[in-house]
Amino acid sequence: MKKTLALLAALLSAAALFAQEPQQNEQPQQQAAPAPMPPHRRPQLMPGQYLGFSGQTSVTPQGSYTPDFKIDGSNAKIKNVILLIGDGMGLGAVTSAMFANGNELTMTNLQTIGFVRTQSVSDFTTDSAASGTAWATGHKTNNGYVGMGPDGEKLTNIPEAIAPYGYVSGVVSTDGLAGATPAAFYAHQSARGESAAIWGDIPGCTLIFLAAGSKKEFDTLPLSTQDAIKGQYTVLSEPDADAFANADKICYTAVNVGNGRGDWLPATTQTAIDFLKARTKKGFFLMVEGAHIDHEAHANKATLVQETLDFDKAVEAAVRFAEKDGHTLVLVSADHETGAVVVRKGNFEENSVEMTFASRGHSPMMVPLFAYGPGSKQFARVQENSDVSNMIRKILIGK
């Protein structure tokens, strides 16, 4: 017994000695994690830092549209491509809007679904400028760059590439015209914040229809820039049926596309489709952006549901046209996810949903892609945003 006690004492002494300081090639033992900080003592977080904020909203259901799928995935000739980009619209935004809207959206009624990776050259988590440029040009670039490569070279966007073949193009956005996503389809600047320079690229671009919420900004531009744009486009600040019917090129700088804009996005999407179709026999490309999904997610507001529903009405306008036309491919996706949105619970009877935001910034999560029309099945995979752009170009002009 004495021998056993002596041996035990020796072992304990040795353990205590070795525990005092780790050896040179050993790692110290990890300390236990501190207890969670009470909510009232948590520090204020800067944009992009993680938190755990929940939001709840309920909506009046707007229904959805389900097309027939006779042309979906067919080998019919594709004359037109409509790309709809929900800014910041990840799976959380789509799911929350779907649940709140009676478990249905036009985009989720479609049968072809893929996923898109969004990383930029400079950052694991992209911004709208780099992702918009990848969607527009088929090339990845640095965050902050609009229509420019990482080495500062101008990149050819889809409207520029297809114009020599007789195609016409347009953009519609609930952002301003100098916003990163619409700008990527006509401008070439290495700083997304250089709004005046981005506006200065409009007179020389190939777009024939531009529409976004830009009246106030347009009015503050240098007169030389305003005059250059007016020299190329019929400039409107309100809908004008006569101009939409007769003008060769439209720059529609709408007064209000923020809160209270009504059906501006779906209505203007339809106007753009009609305008472009009437001015070409070859075909057209149209990009439509729902920008305020991102705005609400950055603010951690559950009203991103209403913004996603508004965007879905624009998707419906595009799908209805494609179904009737028979030669139009519709693609619905996002430039990136914002808010790291997770749906916590909902109530179908009350058309309500509750979600948690894990971030006030963008996240690197893949975003969904929904497709409808001839050739849609080739997008039912995991792909880069730049891959989708290059496929659009190949579909329309073969390269």
Side-chain angles (χ1 to χ4, degrees):
M1 182 67 175
K2 291 183 179 179
K3 289 183 179 180
T4 301
L5 291 174
L7 179 60
L8 179 59
L11 289 172
L12 290 172
S13 298
L17 178 64
F18 281 106
Q20 288 176 4
E21 290 189 12
Q23 299 299 311
Q24 217 169 13
N25 61 348
E26 292 180 350
Q27 295 295 322
Q29 291 184 349
Q30 292 185 352
Q31 295 182 353
M37 187 177 292
H40 66 278
R41 295 183 58 194
R42 289 175 187 165
Q44 295 295 311
L45 298 171
M46 299 297 290
Q49 288 185 289
Y50 288 95
L51 63 163
F53 179 77
S54 294
Q56 187 273 341
T57 190
S58 59
V59 303
T60 300
Q62 66 183 26
S64 65
Y65 182 70
T66 302
D68 67 49
F69 294 93
K70 294 177 182 178
I71 65 164
D72 192 36
S74 73
N75 294 322
K77 179 177 175 57
I78 300 172
K79 296 179 59 177
N80 316 304
V81 176
I82 304 174
L83 171 64
L84 298 106
I85 296 176
D87 195 340
M89 188 186 73
L91 274 175
V94 173
T95 304
S96 59
M98 180 185 68
F99 286 160
N101 194 52
N103 209 22
E104 60 177 330
L105 293 174
T106 297
M107 68 179 95
T108 58
N109 289 343
L110 304 182
Q111 294 181 348
T112 303
I113 303 170
F115 289 93
V116 176
R117 291 186 290 251
T118 65
Q119 279 72 26
S120 71
V121 171
S122 63
D123 291 82
F124 191 73
T125 301
T126 190
D127 72 345
S128 293
S131 186
T133 297
W135 280 104
T137 71
H139 294 276
K140 299 275 191 174
T141 192
N142 296 335
N143 280 11
Y145 284 28
V146 176
M148 302 281 280
D151 296 326
E153 70 277 19
K154 289 184 178 180
L155 300 173
T156 303
N157 55 52
I158 293 171
E160 291 169 339
I162 67 178
Y165 296 84
Y167 292 90
V168 295
S169 300
V171 297
V172 174
S173 175
T174 55
D175 197 359
L177 273 179
T181 301
F185 289 85
Y186 69 83
H188 303 280
Q189 300 294 332
S190 59
R192 62 179 294 180
E194 294 292 333
S195 295
I198 290 172
W199 276 98
D201 284 342
I202 290 179
C205 79
T206 59
L207 299 177
I208 68 166
F209 188 94
L210 301 97
S214 304
K215 178 66 168 66
K216 290 182 179 179
E217 189 172 10
F218 180 83
D219 290 344
T220 64
L221 293 173
L223 289 178
S224 58
T225 303
Q226 292 186 40
D227 290 342
I229 294 173
K230 290 177 180 178
Q232 295 293 321
Y233 293 86
T234 297
V235 177
L236 308 173
S237 59
E238 297 287 349
D240 186 328
D242 184 65
F244 290 149
N246 299 303
D248 293 327
K249 299 168 71 176
I250 292 285
C251 183
Y252 178 13
T253 59
V255 175
N256 176 36
V257 295
N259 293 331
R261 65 180 175 272
D263 67 348
W264 187 90
L265 183 60
T268 307
T269 298
Q270 187 62 60
T271 297
I273 291 170
D274 295 340
F275 184 89
L276 295 172
K277 183 173 175 58
R279 282 153 185 81
T280 179
K281 292 183 179 180
K282 183 71 173 181
F284 66 80
F285 169 79
L286 173 64
M287 190 286 293
V288 177
E289 181 196 25
H292 289 271
I293 303 168
D294 181 66
H295 297 181
E296 301 306 291
H298 275 298
N300 287 171
K301 291 183 178 179
T303 43
L304 70 84
V305 167
Q306 285 85 342
E307 290 296 337
T308 305
L309 291 176
D310 179 59
F311 177 70
D312 198 54
K313 294 298 286 186
V315 173
E316 179 179 338
V319 169
R320 284 181 179 272
F321 170 78
E323 180 183 31
K324 183 178 179 181
D325 177 71
H327 299 281
T328 298
L329 172 66
V330 176
L331 301 172
V332 185
S333 192
D335 52 353
H336 52 74
E337 197 277 346
T338 302
V341 181
V342 177
V343 179
R344 296 185 65 214
K345 58 184 178 180
N347 187 311
F348 289 128
E349 293 182 358
E350 297 177 0
N351 299 108
S352 66
V353 67
E354 183 176 325
M355 65 203 72
T356 295
F357 299 88
S359 172
R360 285 199 176 121
H362 299 172
S363 83
M365 297 295 290
M366 290 192 298
V367 294
L369 182 149
F370 306 93
Y372 174 77
S376 64
K377 305 304 180 185
Q378 60 196 306
F379 298 95
R381 59 190 178 93
V382 175
Q383 59 225 291
E384 301 291 337
N385 45 15
S386 52
D387 292 338
V388 181
S389 176
N390 287 321
M391 186 63 71
I392 293 171
R393 191 180 307 197
K394 186 175 181 180
I395 286 169
L396 292 178
I397 62 174
K399 59 182 178 180

